[in-house]
Amino acid sequence: MTPQQQQAILNHPAFQQLASRKARLGWSLTAVMLLLYYGFILVLAFAPHWLARPVGAGVTTLGMPVGVAIILAAFALTGIYVRQANKRLDPLNDEVLRECQP
C-alpha cells in the first residue's frame, strides 16, 4: 500500500466515522466492565458481610452467583461488541475498502 493510498483511507469520512464509532463502543463497554469488576472488588473490600450471606439453606453465599454474573457479563459484553461490529462497523469498513481500492 502506497503512502497516497494510506492517506486517502485516513482522510475518508467513512473511515473517520468508523474509527470514532469503534473507539466509542470499545471504551463504553470497557467502562461497563470496569464498573462491574471494581464495584465487586469494592463490595468485597468494604462490605464482605453482604457477599457472605447464604443463598437458601445451602452453603453457597451470595458472592458466588454475583461472581458468576460478572463473568457472564463479560461474555455478554463481548457479544454486544460483536453484534455492533457486524451491524454498524463492518458496513463502514466495506465502504472504505470499496471506495479506496486502486
Side-chain angles (χ1 to χ4, degrees):
M1 181 177 293
T2 68
Q4 292 82 10
Q5 290 172 323
Q6 289 176 350
Q7 196 59 41
I9 291 171
L10 291 174
N11 292 335
H12 196 284
F15 176 78
Q16 293 172 355
Q17 187 178 24
L18 171 67
S20 173
R21 283 186 181 182
K22 185 177 179 181
R24 187 175 38 235
L25 177 62
W27 284 113
S28 298
L29 295 176
T30 298
V32 169
M33 192 65 226
L34 287 174
L35 284 171
L36 288 172
Y37 179 74
Y38 284 109
F40 178 72
I41 296 300
L42 288 172
V43 169
L44 188 64
F46 296 110
H49 59 279
W50 186 78
L51 293 173
R53 291 189 309 194
V55 176
V59 294
T60 303
T61 63
L62 187 59
M64 286 300 293
V66 171
V68 170
I70 290 172
I71 293 168
L72 293 176
F75 284 107
L77 291 174
T78 302
I80 290 169
Y81 180 86
V82 169
R83 187 185 69 205
Q84 292 298 317
N86 289 340
K87 186 177 179 181
R88 295 205 171 110
L89 300 180
D90 284 351
L92 286 172
N93 188 51
D94 294 340
E95 178 184 341
V96 171
L97 289 175
R98 187 175 52 254
E99 293 179 9
C100 293
Q101 282 185 348

